[in-house]
């Protein structure tokens, strides 16, 4: 499902109306009816509903919702916040139609606030995707009253006060559910803005998919539907060599577990053959934890890896988990990048990547980097606050600049491709916010990557399964606090 920002949504609307000839009034009617269909699934006819309508398309949707619900016999009050003369275009057409039905319109005044407090359901159609800056009177007080009420709050397209593409919010409606019109909005995947949406669902209003064909770059959600349509089934006549040959490089004197977790996850994700390059002192533990793996002889210095020669048969390398930030690690990462195998760069290997962009830019093989937001801030040379606010923009820029795949980890992990397209993952929960989780993900990407012709599909499916594993653990009774990296690995073989 495509994800749009403010300008892209306006462009899709404009093309639908002007090029394809579907009137704006029709789209507004469709939006209102689609949301009414959702409301009647959840609330009975005796529900006291207050619809708060502003100007523009969002207010017009609210007017349609009020009329449609009144037609069905619901108890509805339509409160128009601006003066009627400020209602324009398609919204004005629907307001006139509302009047012709002889339904009452309540105009903004102090009487609104008791109505808000007495409502069972409030439909928020105050402000749409054009919202910018802070709320002005009377919207600031209205939003405050809505948030303090006991009513269930349904937002139309976007919670009023939230910007369609920005993470930061000063004041906004905290919706219980948001019905987004045709496409998810970018800020639904950015925190703290995402907190205001509540549960969300996309409703179809008849905008054809070709309206986004002309966009230079595309953003898509990636979930169960996309995973099921792209996953690679194991061939019945396959053998271990045909299911991928991988290499995990990691570990140091004081970080033993990270590379072992990556190796276990790689095996659990279906790799046919796995080799590991670990310091010697890790091998006794690793041999017990990853019994299927083989272990390469490596040069060491002071318990740290110095040099690893990648066998010709290896199809994917994952490096960085637990390596430590030492001069030996710097040289090792450089050595691995020069060998130009498909490579996943994680954890401590990312620390030195800014020194090696020249090598990365000249690689012909797939390069995947898997930073969390702190590591991304270092790679981009900006404060972490800038990464948090602009996750889509910064990941896209880095991927295109260096011809790499960027997996920007966090809630709604983003996979950015060298072409500029991005895929935002929809699985997972806060239980993944724990040490070792990233090591598991890197191992999973290594386990899937050799089996796919399309690297993006392999990476996005690994990210999706990683999140799905945390969801399944919660379904089995684990608390978010109780989810661990080892538990993620244990449940991977049961995912399909």
């Amino acid at each position: 499902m495509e994800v749009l920002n403010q300008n892209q949504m306006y462009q899709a609307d404009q093309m639908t109306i002007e090029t394809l000839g579907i009137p704006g009034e029709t789209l507004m009617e469709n939006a209102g009816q689609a949301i009414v269909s959702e409301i009647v699934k959840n609330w009975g006819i005796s529900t006291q509903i207050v619809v708060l309508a502003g100007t523009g398309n969002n207010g017009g949707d609210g007017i349609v919702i009020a009329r449609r619900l009144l037609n069905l016999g619901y108890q509805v009050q339509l409160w128009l916040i601006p003066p009627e003369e400020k209602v324009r275009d398609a919204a004005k057409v629907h307001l006139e139609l509302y009047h012709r039905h002889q339904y009452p319109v309540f105009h903004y005044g102090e009487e609104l606030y008791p109505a808000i407090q007495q409502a069972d359901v409030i439909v928020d159609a105050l402000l749409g995707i054009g919202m910018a800056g802070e709320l002005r009177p009377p919207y600031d007080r209205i939003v405050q009253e809505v948030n303090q009420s006991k009513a269930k709050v349904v937002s139309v397209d976007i919670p009023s006060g939230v910007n369609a593409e920005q993470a930061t919010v000063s004041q906004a409606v905290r919706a219980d559910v948001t019905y987004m019109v045709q496409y998810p909005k970018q800020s639904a995947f950015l925190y703290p803005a995402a907190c205001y949406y509540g549960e969300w669902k996309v409703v179809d209003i008849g905008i054809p998919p070709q309206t986004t064909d002309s966009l230079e770059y595309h953003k898509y959600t990636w979930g169960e539907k996309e995973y099921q349509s792209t996953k690679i089934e194991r061939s019945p006549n396959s053998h271990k060599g045909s299911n991928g040959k991988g290499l995990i490089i990691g570990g140091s004197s004081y970080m033993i577990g990270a590379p072992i977790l990556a190796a276990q996850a790689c095996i659990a994700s279906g790799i046919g053959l796995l080799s590991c390059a670990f310091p010697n002192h890790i091998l006794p533990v690793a041999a017990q934890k990853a019994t299927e793996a083989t272990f390469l002889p490596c040069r060491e210095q002071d318990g740290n890896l110095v040099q690893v020669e990648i066998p010709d048969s290896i199809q994917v390398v994952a490096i960085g988990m637990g390596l430590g930030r030492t001069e030996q690690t710097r040289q090792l990462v450089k050595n691995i990048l020069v060998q130009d195998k498909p490579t996943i760069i994680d954890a401590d290997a990312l620390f030195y990547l800014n020194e090696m962009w020249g090598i990365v830019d000249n690689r012909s093989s797939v390069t995947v980097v898997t930073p969390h937001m702190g590591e991304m801030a270092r790679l981009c040379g900006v404060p972490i606050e800038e990464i948090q606010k602009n996750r889509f923009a910064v990941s896209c820029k880095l991927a295109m600049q260096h011809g790499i795949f960027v997996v920007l980890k966090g809630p709604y992990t983003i996979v950015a491709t060298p072409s500029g397209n991005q895929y935002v993952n929809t699985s997972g929960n806060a239980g993944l916010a724990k040490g070792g989780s990233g090591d598991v993900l890197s191992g999973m990407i290594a386990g899937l990557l050799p089996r796919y012709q399309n690297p993006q599909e392999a990476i996005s499916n690994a990210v999706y399964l990683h999140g799905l594993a945390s969801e399944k653990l919660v379904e089995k009774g684990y608390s978010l606090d109780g989810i661990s990296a080892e538990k993620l690995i244990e449940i991977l073989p049961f995912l399909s």
Side-chain angles (χ1 to χ4, degrees), residues 382-436:
V382 300
I384 191 170
E385 293 77 15
E386 290 299 310
I387 303 298
Q388 291 172 328
K389 290 191 295 186
N390 301 292
R391 296 177 74 237
F392 283 98
V394 295
S395 57
C396 179
K397 180 179 179 181
L398 189 67
M400 294 184 67
Q401 185 176 357
H402 298 291
I404 61 178
F405 291 86
V406 176
V407 181
L408 181 51
K409 296 183 289 193
Y412 296 116
T413 292
I414 297 170
V415 176
T417 69
S419 68
N421 290 338
Q422 295 174 286
Y423 301 83
V424 55
N425 183 56
T426 58
S427 68
N429 55 44
L432 294 173
K434 188 171 289 188

Side-chain angles (χ1 to χ4, degrees), residues 307-320:
Q307 187 172 355
V308 176
E309 295 298 330
I310 304 175
D312 291 339
S313 61
I314 292 297
Q315 297 169 301
V316 63
V317 178
I319 181 171

Side-chain angles (χ1 to χ4, degrees), residues 50-54 78-79 81 112 116 122-126 142 146:
V50 167
V51 178
L52 304 175
L78 171 63
W79 285 84
I81 307 308
L112 168 64
I116 288 175
I122 296 171
V123 176
D124 160 35
L126 291 167
I142 295 171
V146 169

Side-chain angles (χ1 to χ4, degrees), residues 97-395:
L97 178 59
Y98 186 92
H99 281 309
R100 288 199 295 273
H101 279 67
Q102 298 184 351
Y103 292 139
V105 175
F106 296 83
H107 294 91
Y108 172 74
E110 288 297 317
E111 301 84 359
L112 168 64
Y113 301 114
I116 288 175
Q117 298 307 319
Q118 295 166 12
D120 298 316
V121 173
I122 296 171
V123 176
D124 160 35
L126 291 167
L127 301 167
I129 61 174
M131 168 65 193
E134 295 188 359
L135 293 175
R136 293 189 288 248
Y139 293 96
D140 54 352
R141 183 181 172 190
I142 295 171
V143 167
Q144 182 179 9
E145 293 282 344
V146 169
N147 288 341
Q148 291 175 351
S149 75
K150 296 180 180 180
K152 293 295 185 181
V153 180
V154 175
S155 283
V156 175
D157 199 29
I158 189 169
S160 292
V162 173
N163 186 285
E165 54 193 78
Q166 295 180 2
T168 54
V169 180
S170 58
Q171 182 186 11
V173 168
R174 288 189 175 273
D176 293 290
V177 60
T178 300
Y179 294 115
M180 285 188 265
V181 173
Q182 198 65 49
Y183 299 104
K185 307 307 180 285
Q186 182 172 294
S187 61
F189 306 101
L190 301 172
Y191 282 89
C195 298
Y196 291 81
Y197 282 82
E199 297 181 14
W200 58 263
K201 181 177 182 179
V202 175
V203 295
D204 184 4
I205 68 167
I207 296 179
Q210 60 264 37
T211 56
T212 62
D213 289 347
S214 62
L215 296 179
E216 186 175 6
Y217 310 120
H218 297 265
K219 296 183 289 291
Y220 303 94
T221 57
W222 196 271
E224 176 69 14
K225 177 182 176 182
E226 291 75 21
Y227 166 68
Q228 292 295 342
S229 66
T230 58
K231 69 177 182 179
I232 301 296
E233 300 286 357
R234 220 171 182 84
S235 172
N237 67 338
S238 66
H239 53 84
K240 58 187 178 182
S242 62
N243 286 298
K245 300 177 182 179
L247 172 63
I248 303 293
I249 304 173
S252 59
S253 57
Y254 57 94
M255 285 186 285
I256 296 174
I260 296 174
L261 288 171
Q264 290 177 306
C266 189
I267 293 167
S269 298
I271 195 78
L273 290 166
L274 179 65
S275 297
C276 298
F278 297 167
N280 287 329
H281 67 276
I282 294 179
L283 297 185
V285 179
Q288 295 181 53
K289 293 285 189 177
T291 55
E292 298 91 343
T294 59
F295 297 90
L296 300 182
C298 308
R299 286 179 52 197
E300 295 184 35
Q301 182 180 345
D302 301 325
N304 297 308
L305 295 176
V306 175
Q307 187 172 355
V308 176
E309 295 298 330
I310 304 175
D312 291 339
S313 61
I314 292 297
Q315 297 169 301
V316 63
V317 178
I319 181 171
M321 297 71 66
L323 273 180
R325 297 176 182 180
T326 65
E327 179 60 30
Q328 293 97 324
T329 295
R330 174 188 278 110
Q331 294 302 321
L332 179 60
V333 173
K334 181 178 180 180
N335 170 263
I336 296 302
L337 290 175
V338 168
Q339 294 185 58
D340 203 13
K341 290 278 189 178
T343 302
I344 299 142
I345 306 169
D346 186 30
D348 291 325
L350 292 170
F351 188 78
Y352 299 102
L353 199 57
N354 279 340
E355 305 172 17
M356 302 176 189
W357 287 126
I359 300 173
V360 172
D361 293 347
N362 288 312
R363 284 169 51 87
S364 59
S365 296
V366 169
T367 305
V368 185
V369 300
T370 58
H372 55 59
M373 284 194 284
E375 292 164 336
M376 190 69 173
R378 178 179 175 82
L379 290 175
C380 297
V382 300
I384 191 170
E385 293 77 15
E386 290 299 310
I387 303 298
Q388 291 172 328
K389 290 191 295 186
N390 301 292
R391 296 177 74 237
F392 283 98
V394 295
S395 57

